[in-house]
Amino acid sequence: MTKPAGMLTWKDLEIGSVVTEPGNASQYQTGGWRSERPIFDSSKCIKCGICYIFCPEGCIGQDAEGYFQADLFYCKGCGICARECWAKAITIVPEEE
Amino acid sequence: MAKRVGIEVSLAVAEAAKLANVDVVSAYPITPQTHIVEHLAELVANGELDAQYIPVESEHSAMSACLGASAAGARTFTATAGQGLELMHEVLYVASSMRLPVIMAVANRALSAPLSVWGDHSDVMAVRDTGWIQLFVENGQEAVDNVLCAFRIGEDPRVLLPVMIHLDGFHLSHMIEPVVFPEQSQVDKFIPPYQYPMPLHPDRPVTMGAFAPPIIYSETKKAQQVNLEAAKEVILQCWDEFGKTFHRYYSPVECYRSEDAKVLLLTMGSFSETAATAIDKLRTEGKSVGLVKLRLWRPFPFEEIRQAVKNASVLIVLDRALSFGGPGGPVCSEVRSALYGEDRKPKVIGFVGGLGGRDITPAGFEEIVNRGIEISQKGSDKEFEIYGVRE
């Protein structure tokens, strides 16, 4: 798709709404579903990567210094990373904060 | 030379699918359709038809297998009836939404309960809104001709939609009728090879039937609606071309002795032939009556219906299905709706009859016409009447 979904008219769609661009699901902002978000405290983080392993969205990666961060474009705020973090380096806060 | 043979209509439908040189048949047997897929299985097993025959455990799977085959670029055929069509229900929407031209013969059958294997249009009406092109045939010849046309229409790059050919269970499917089969070479010329524009292929990956969030779903449905409406033009062209090639002509709405008639009877499917006999009799008695036959059910031929009935004062519609708690039969309801905005329109009188294989004889059609005329003059406190029911 050349345009974002919200810009497409019915005439822009492929026959049968077939998706012809492999991997374009990555354009879908699942972060829009979130009501809470994780805050990563790098002073407590031991860089073990357990949050990265458990994240069901696969949206946690390492920054330049090796600390883990969630990509909020995709993070749905499920809180699994905070529950699993051994060092208690992740807290979940409501979106409005 | 084309051959004229006496053949059971179910077998003739299977022979038509063979003439169309189908690649894949996936089906589950159900009365009164069984002979169609049984004969196709024979043709494949005997090596007379080079196709994949996929036996499955249910109609839901049959239609699902057909989707996969069609999406891979195969010419695909199946047949079902009644409960089988209902079991396919959710997959029918997927075929039309993904624009996969699966061709299906439906030997129309009543729905349970109580269990009835006999014919009516309850099954058709339950799948009315599934987005398929749907047409009715009256006799064996029409069934064969329209199975051939269905492949050409459905697979046309401007259409790419699945097509149902409705033939009345038993009343038509099990009759032995004279049928002219066109030559293979003529059929090969009439139906071009199927080329799906984006078939499933590892070298060109596509995703079919992916999810659509609220931001795009409405657009997909508008595209589908426009596409189905536009298919009518291609259907007309196909029937025109068929007529020029095979000298048998079809149209969305067909009229019999209706031009000057004050009272019109509207029917679908094989009962139309019986109704025509009644019309002849009533004409000899000096009554100004005619017959209108609705062939194309989806896309609905609004203009053709309006044209066909505009000079009549009474239009009697016979439905072979009941919309429980509703305004009567679905066909009557739609015809009435199509005429509502017209300045010149007949009074529409609805009858439901022929349910679960109950016959309507020529005398029965005379009764319906006479009762319809009576209601049009005296009025009725009912939305519709069920013909022939014992009170």
Side-chain angles (χ1 to χ4, degrees):
Chain A
M1 272 186 255
T2 47
K3 295 186 217 171
M7 304 286 285
L8 291 171
T9 73
W10 64 269
K11 291 175 197 156
D12 295 325
L13 300 176
E14 296 280 3
I15 289 165
S17 309
V18 163
V19 178
T20 52
E21 185 188 342
N24 76 349
S26 64
Q27 293 165 18
Y28 187 50
Q29 190 184 352
T30 50
W33 304 11
R34 199 173 58 241
S35 63
E36 295 180 317
R37 69 179 188 278
I39 304 288
F40 289 73
D41 182 349
S42 52
S43 70
K44 291 185 187 166
C45 177
I46 57 171
K47 300 181 182 176
C48 68
I50 197 81
C51 55
Y52 159 83
I53 289 167
F54 272 90
C55 175
E57 199 58 34
C59 73
I60 295 176
Q62 282 173 291
D63 64 14
E65 294 169 59
Y67 293 111
F68 285 86
Q69 296 290 342
D71 183 343
L72 294 179
F73 187 84
Y74 300 115
C75 171
K76 295 169 179 167
C78 69
I80 289 173
C81 55
R83 186 188 162 98
E84 297 298 333
C85 178
W86 297 330
K88 309 228 177 293
I90 305 169
T91 47
I92 296 291
V93 299
E95 266 304 310
E96 57 266 30
E97 280 180 22
Chain B
M1 255 307 273
K3 287 177 297 191
R4 187 165 188 262
V5 294
I7 186 169
E8 184 189 314
V9 174
S10 291
L11 271 52
V13 166
E15 289 288 339
K18 176 184 170 245
L19 278 170
N21 200 14
V22 291
D23 300 313
V24 174
V25 177
S26 182
Y28 190 83
I30 182 169
T31 304
Q33 163 281 127
T34 302
H35 293 180
I36 300 175
V37 296
E38 200 174 71
H39 190 55
L40 277 164
E42 274 172 3
L43 292 170
V44 174
N46 293 346
E48 291 174 65
L49 172 60
D50 180 18
Q52 283 290 323
Y53 190 96
I54 310 172
V56 282
E57 81 289 358
S58 77
E59 285 85 356
H60 191 282
S61 299
M63 185 46 62
S64 300
C66 287
L67 295 197
S70 186
R75 177 167 288 167
T76 309
F77 183 81
T78 187
T80 192
Q83 307 301 132
L85 187 61
E86 294 316 296
L87 190 50
M88 284 180 178
H89 196 106
E90 62 164 331
V91 197
L92 298 175
Y93 288 89
V94 182
S96 58
S97 305
M98 300 205 318
R99 305 269 306 268
L100 299 173
V102 176
I103 307 304
M104 174 159 69
V106 182
N108 311 135
R109 166 180 160 170
L111 297 177
S112 291
L115 189 143
S116 167
V117 296
W118 293 275
D120 72 22
H121 296 165
S122 306
D123 56 355
V124 186
M125 297 307 154
V127 299
R128 182 186 66 176
D129 297 335
T130 53
W132 284 52
I133 293 171
Q134 301 191 45
L135 45 96
F136 280 81
V137 297
E138 227 177 285
N139 56 43
Q141 188 65 58
E142 290 192 3
V144 167
D145 292 351
N146 281 287
V147 165
L148 298 177
C149 286
F151 284 102
R152 178 166 158 144
I153 292 164
E155 294 174 1
D156 188 298
R158 294 165 292 174
V159 177
L160 293 171
L161 282 171
V163 185
M164 279 184 218
I165 303 103
H166 294 297
L167 61 148
D168 285 320
F170 290 116
H171 277 107
L172 182 52
S173 64
H174 284 54
M175 293 301 113
I176 293 173
E177 297 205 346
V179 173
V180 176
F181 286 100
E183 286 296 316
Q184 185 67 59
S185 57
Q186 289 177 297
V187 176
D188 292 345
K189 243 163 96 182
F190 184 68
I191 310 174
Y194 171 43
Q195 281 189 311
Y196 194 71
M198 287 175 281
L200 295 175
H201 194 283
D203 294 345
R204 296 177 301 278
V206 293
T207 304
M208 293 182 176
F211 102 131
I215 201 163
I216 197 71
Y217 188 81
S218 302
E219 282 69 23
T220 69
K221 293 298 117 177
K222 162 95 184 187
Q224 199 180 339
Q225 163 69 10
V226 170
N227 171 236
L228 182 53
E229 278 176 354
K232 198 175 99 183
E233 199 49 44
V234 180
I235 296 168
L236 294 177
Q237 284 171 15
C238 173
W239 278 336
D240 187 50
E241 191 66 31
F242 187 90
K244 284 180 190 151
T245 313
F246 299 105
H247 313 295
R248 288 185 295 278
Y249 291 86
Y250 297 100
S251 55
V253 175
E254 289 166 18
C255 297
Y256 179 71
R257 304 184 78 168
S258 72
E259 295 73 26
D260 58 338
K262 291 206 173 56
V263 178
L264 291 176
L265 174 64
L266 187 145
T267 53
M268 294 161 99
S270 64
F271 279 33
S272 303
E273 291 198 341
T274 318
T277 309
I279 296 296
D280 286 342
K281 171 115 185 298
L282 289 162
R283 279 276 182 177
T284 59
E285 292 166 9
K287 290 215 166 98
S288 178
V289 293
L291 182 64
V292 174
K293 304 182 278 190
L294 186 56
R295 175 177 306 289
L296 186 62
W297 177 228
R298 285 292 184 273
F300 190 82
F302 289 96
E303 257 330 292
E304 289 85 348
I305 279 283
R306 286 172 189 144
Q307 283 301 318
V309 306
K310 66 176 182 194
N311 293 325
S313 52
V314 180
L315 174 64
I316 300 160
V317 180
L318 174 74
D319 266 280
R320 293 191 64 205
L322 190 48
S323 168
F324 297 103
V331 182
C332 182
S333 180
E334 294 209 359
V335 168
R336 202 179 261 148
S337 162
L339 297 175
Y340 183 76
E342 299 299 291
D343 292 329
R344 282 178 65 195
K345 54 175 178 272
K347 202 176 263 190
V348 180
I349 312 287
F351 284 90
V352 170
L355 297 180
R358 182 78 65 91
D359 260 335
I360 301 181
T361 61
F365 276 108
E366 283 177 54
E367 264 185 72
I368 289 172
V369 170
N370 289 328
R371 175 67 188 143
I373 293 169
E374 192 186 346
I375 294 172
S376 76
Q377 288 161 353
K378 295 184 187 163
S380 169
D381 56 355
K382 301 191 194 83
E383 295 289 334
F384 66 100
E385 287 189 7
I386 300 182
Y387 168 73
V389 74
R390 290 183 296 277
E391 296 290 346

